[in-house]
Structure formats: structure tokens, C-alpha cells
Amino acid sequence: MSGTDPSDAATPDAATPDATTPDVAARARPLREAVIDLDAITANVRRVADRVAPAAVIAVVKANGYGHGAAEVARAALSGGAAGLGVADLDEAYALRAAGIDSRVIAWLHDPFAEFAPAIRAGIDVGVSSREQLERVADAAVAVGRPAAVHLKVDTGLSRNGVPEPEWPAVCARASELEHAGSIRVVGVFSHFANTSRDVDAAQLAVFDRAVEAARSAGLDPALRHIASSEEAWRDPDARYDAVRIGIAMYGLTPFGDGTTATALGLVPAMTLRTRVAAVRRVEPGAGASYGHLWTADRATTLALVPVGYADGLPRHASERGAHVTIRGRRHPIVGRIAMDQCIVDVGDDEVGLGDEVVVFGDPATGAPTADELAEAAGTIGYEVVTRVGPRVVRTHVGGAER
Ligand SMILES: *Cc1c(COP(=O)(O)O)cnc(C)c1O
């Protein structure tokens, strides 16, 4: 034992733990746990909100709040000053309503057979990406007997969703008719960046500006113009308009692909993925570890078995690519092939014990690797790491003001 780390007291093999020691608390934890710090979410939203003001923040909580728990994250984001919430599909929006969240929610990616009437009844704002969708939403609104709140989406160059620019004036003209007829209210015009280069951003902004002008010429008065997600919202004041849609920054990971860390932006990762050492063995030089023996010991060393694998969100591609974990607060490399349920960590001559806490990723202020670092090792992005934390991992929320 190093004797310097307070978590030393948390080793289950320490003598006669009593019910008040951290040891017992640690043992009571789930084996695989994602701890989500809601205060970090709130602080991250506040930080972005301050930066982008007077533009409003729409907090994006799709894909179960990027794996963090949509309703919990939504409440934390609203506490941090978010003016509304964004999700991909209507089912995600209904889940927020079912959790008692009554703020503005916008959903923008629809099942081609989606029924819009329940969305209108639930007061959900609908992103509309085609003439056909516009008609279906308007018809549903007539059936419900109340106007649908619509955000018209223009494709400014992502080629993914949204009305293509040549069709945009006609869609706006039709939306204006429907607005006059009372079946819809166009509350917003929006788009999405391709996150490529500043030149492409500028070209997309030019299309967006033309689209807003065309909407106004058609008699529409969209109060919420929004195009930026975390990256452009952070760096480009010209991209902020009336609102920005923030996902990754709120979770404390970087939106940038250029090596700018979330820490450099003053953001704190909200999710910590932790487990505990399941086995410890000393091996001799030449011992191979895990499937395929991608790794063999070049010295006598100690291997800790960590019961988190690719089924839990640790990318198999990170095998032998420099991924690290912390055990007792010290960084050690994952060696050999990452398996479905487990991986092996080379701790050298450090003392580790059964049950020692292992942090797979978390807040770098604690010395832990970040999800962004793990992503880098796996050749992906932090977004994919946190959204893929598997169902076997128990989510525990900490912090968060009562609302
Ligand atoms: C996911 C998403 C966002 C959030 O993007 P981040 O890069 O996570 O901030 C914003 N807008 C749309 C349309 C999205 O799909």
C-alpha cells in the first residue's frame, strides 16, 4: 500500500472493515457503474449560456442524454439556464413529458410513418424537413384542434435532412398559408453544420441567411433561428443567432477535433465510468495476456483484471492503442485484447488489491483519463464513447438541485 491515497482505506482486503468505513460503501456499489454528476452538467450549461448570450441554449438530450440519462440531464440543463430541450425523435420527447418535464422540447428526426397528433397534444415543437412532413403536421393539428409549433429545417450543406434550398421558397409559402389558416405556427427556422472547415461553415451560413430572408419574404416571422451545435456555438459568434443547440459541451467533452480539450474550455466531464479490480496476478516475462496474445510481458509484472469490456462501452478498437485507466488514482495501461466483459491492466510493481476502484474514464481533475482520451485511443470521438456505455452499467446520478 502506498499509504498516501485516502482510497487505500477502500480496499476490501483491509482488516475488519466496519460499517462506517469507505470500504463498505465501495463494496456496496454496483460492479460496473456510470456516475453522472448533474452539477457538472448544470455548470457546463451555465458556462456555454454565458458565452453565447444573448442567444438561448437548447440542451440536446437525445440518445438518453448521450448515455447520461435524458430526464436527469434535462433537469440539470434547465437549472443551468437552458431555455429548451432538443431530441432526435418523438419518442424521446414523450419520455421527457412522461418524466414531468414541461419545458419547450423540439424533435427533428421523424419516423416516415410518425403520427404527429400526440406530439401536438403534448406541446412538442416539431422540426419539419419536407413539404410532405409539413402537410402531415398541419393535418394532425387540424385533427387535434390546436396549432402545431413548427421549426422549418433548411439543408445548408449537410445533405442529411432539411428542405433543399431550391424547394425552400415553396415550402415557406405553403407554411405561411397554413399559418394563416391556423394549423401551424412557424416558431423557428433551423439547420445543422457539417463540422468541416470554416469555409464550409461560411457557405452554410450564407445559405442559412438566404433561407431566413426567404421565410420572411413569405410572411413568416420565425423567432428562433438556430444552426449551431457545440463546436460553432463555442467559436463563432456569427453562428449563434437566437439559439444554439448544445450537446457534447454540456456533457463536458470536447466538440473540437483539433485536440482542444474540454478542460481547456473550462468544461467538466459529467460521467465517470468505474468498476473494481476483479483479480490480481503476478506474471513472469514472456507471459501472454488476453485473446490472441497481442501483448506479452517483457518483465515480471502484476496484471489487474478489470471487469469492463466492449459490452460495457470500452471500444475493442482501443486494444493495444494506448488506453489507460486509473487504479487507486494512478494511471496504468490496458494491455492485450479488450474482451466483451473484461480487460487487463498492467500495473507493473504497484500494489493493487482485489476490489480497488478502477476509473475507466472520468474527470481529469481527479487524474482519470477522459472519455475523449479513450476515444482518441479507439480512433473515435467522445460522443461515441459515452453514448455506447452498455446497459449492464448502472447509472447513478449525483448532485442536482431539486426542481
Ligand atoms: C446532436 C445534435 C446537436 C448537438 O450536437 P453537439 O455537437 O453534441 O453539440 C445539435 N443539433 C442537431 C440537429 C443534432 O443532431
Side-chain angles (χ1 to χ4, degrees), residues 58-62 66 86-88 108-109 153 158 160 190-193 195 226-233 244-251 254-255 383:
I58 296 169
V60 179
V61 299
K62 63 191 182 188
Y66 288 39
V87 291
W108 52 68
L109 181 61
K153 185 168 192 181
L158 187 56
R160 211 168 69 168
F190 75 117
S191 192
H192 194 44
F193 282 112
N195 299 127
H226 48 109
I227 181 168
S229 52
S230 296
E231 179 179 343
E232 285 79 7
V244 298
R245 301 183 307 271
I246 298 299
I248 203 70
M250 155 169 81
Y251 302 100
T254 186
Y383 296 72

Side-chain angles (χ1 to χ4, degrees), residues 104-310:
R104 164 171 261 152
V105 178
I106 163 173
W108 52 68
L109 181 61
H110 308 298
D111 179 339
F113 307 111
E115 293 288 348
F116 289 103
I120 296 163
R121 263 186 227 108
I124 292 159
D125 288 17
V126 182
V128 164
S129 277
S130 69
R131 169 80 187 248
E132 197 252 338
Q133 262 175 14
L134 180 65
E135 300 295 349
R136 287 164 47 93
V137 170
D139 288 350
V142 169
V144 170
R146 104 179 218 203
V150 163
H151 299 240
L152 291 177
K153 185 168 192 181
V154 58
D155 180 11
T156 54
L158 187 56
S159 305
R160 211 168 69 168
N161 208 350
V163 178
E165 197 183 9
E167 295 166 33
W168 179 255
V171 170
C172 289
R174 179 62 182 147
S176 185
E177 273 172 32
L178 292 167
E179 192 167 76
H180 281 109
S183 57
I184 67 166
R185 275 183 306 117
V186 176
V187 296
V189 166
F190 75 117
S191 192
H192 194 44
F193 282 112
N195 299 127
T196 49
S197 65
R198 285 165 203 247
D199 286 351
V200 174
D201 276 8
Q204 289 195 254
L205 285 176
V207 177
F208 192 62
D209 287 337
R210 285 200 296 275
V212 169
E213 268 320 298
R216 287 183 177 146
S217 303
L220 300 171
D221 183 23
L224 280 182
R225 296 161 300 161
H226 48 109
I227 181 168
S229 52
S230 296
E231 179 179 343
E232 285 79 7
W234 189 271
R235 69 166 158 76
D236 185 1
D238 290 339
R240 292 175 191 154
Y241 295 89
D242 305 305
V244 298
R245 301 183 307 271
I246 298 299
I248 203 70
M250 155 169 81
Y251 302 100
L253 300 179
T254 186
F256 294 107
D258 64 0
T260 305
T261 62
T263 303
L265 308 178
L267 302 171
V268 177
M271 185 190 290
T272 297
L273 179 61
R274 72 182 179 192
T275 181
R276 46 183 172 254
V277 172
V280 179
R281 78 190 54 235
R282 189 76 187 165
V283 297
E284 294 306 317
S290 194
Y291 295 129
H293 280 184
L294 299 187
W295 180 90
T296 48
D298 58 6
R299 67 202 190 296
T301 192
T302 300
L303 300 180
L305 183 63
V306 171
V308 163
Y310 61 77

